[in-house]
Amino acid sequence: MNVLVVGAAGRTGGLLVNRALQDGHTVTALARNPSRIAARPGLIATRGDVRDAADLAMAMAGQHAVTVALGVQGRGATTVFSEGLGNIVAAAQAAGTRRLMVMSSAGLSTDHLPFIQRHMTHLVATRVYGQIHADLARMEEIVVDSGLDWTIVRVPMLKDGEPTSTYQVSIGGHLDKAGTAIRADVADWIVRNLAEPATYRQRVEMAS
């Protein structure tokens, strides 16, 4: 499968590249600074910005699937997620790329958590990450309305570490606790489910 990884120079994006190559996919890694991505067989590193529609259109050509692991520096107001996904969706639709897997935040849904954890998570989500979450919510609306075979992967606080293979996943539902997620576990699940119809048009929650 030809897989486009957007945000490939980030910590999770880099793991998505590694995991997809491990499974034998041909990977196009899109990053603003592709020199940070080590050259390997099966990998095409290309310069691009999600806010540039032309960059996305060029990178999307010939892709079967696209995975998105965007991040921002700071906690202020941003449109990177919503603007970026708007461009990604438009490029995918034009190229005929059906499969879209996008990372988002578990902090967007807290009503199911136990009272104390719900209160603390909501407090952090609104006071610390409120403006980022507002744009993530806009991003999710764009993804859901795209008509593509999308999966939104909502993750809690991300940590570095070795993959566990014992991570928890809820497809279309909720996990009992927010917890944390190891980046390598998130990358593993995404790549394993690139072609899994049961995950199409579903929100997924993960924790390690």
Side-chain angles (χ1 to χ4, degrees), residues 3 5 7-29 36-43 67 161-163 183-184 187-188 191-192 194:
V3 179
V5 178
R11 283 185 287 178
T12 308
L15 292 169
L16 281 167
V17 170
N18 295 344
R19 186 64 183 78
L21 289 172
Q22 180 183 325
D23 269 17
H25 299 295
T26 298
V27 178
T28 299
R36 295 173 56 188
I37 302 169
R40 280 156 286 172
L43 174 63
T67 67
E162 294 298 317
R183 288 183 171 87
D188 179 73
V191 173
R192 285 179 182 273
L194 282 171

Side-chain angles (χ1 to χ4, degrees), residues 157-168:
M157 182 182 297
L158 290 168
K159 301 193 304 182
D160 295 323
E162 294 298 317
T164 67
S165 76
T166 57
Y167 49 79
Q168 303 173 64

Side-chain angles (χ1 to χ4, degrees), residues 78-103:
T78 183
T79 60
V80 167
F81 301 103
S82 58
E83 186 179 351
L85 261 296
N87 288 332
I88 290 167
V89 165
Q93 290 170 336
T97 303
R98 294 291 309 164
R99 186 62 167 130
L100 172 64
M101 302 187 79
V102 182
M103 288 180 60

Side-chain angles (χ1 to χ4, degrees), residues 57-68:
M58 184 175 297
M60 194 69 68
Q63 305 296 336
H64 302 121
V66 53
T67 67
V68 184

Side-chain angles (χ1 to χ4, degrees), residues 62-166:
Q63 305 296 336
H64 302 121
V66 53
T67 67
V68 184
L70 295 178
V72 293
Q73 294 183 345
R75 297 171 181 170
T78 183
T79 60
V80 167
F81 301 103
S82 58
E83 186 179 351
L85 261 296
N87 288 332
I88 290 167
V89 165
Q93 290 170 336
T97 303
R98 294 291 309 164
R99 186 62 167 130
L100 172 64
M101 302 187 79
V102 182
M103 288 180 60
S104 186
S105 172
L108 293 181
S109 179
T110 60
D111 291 345
H112 61 285
L113 296 173
F115 174 77
I116 294 177
Q117 188 176 18
R118 179 173 72 247
H119 178 72
M120 294 303 298
T121 302
H122 181 73
L123 188 66
V124 172
T126 54
R127 293 193 179 182
V128 181
Y129 298 108
Q131 296 189 83
I132 291 175
H133 280 186
D135 197 46
L136 285 170
R138 292 189 290 268
M139 176 197 78
E140 289 198 4
E141 289 182 7
I142 291 168
V143 172
V144 171
D145 292 340
S146 68
L148 302 175
D149 295 329
W150 55 267
T151 303
I152 294 171
V153 184
R154 285 179 165 177
V155 296
M157 182 182 297
L158 290 168
K159 301 193 304 182
D160 295 323
E162 294 298 317
T164 67
S165 76
T166 57

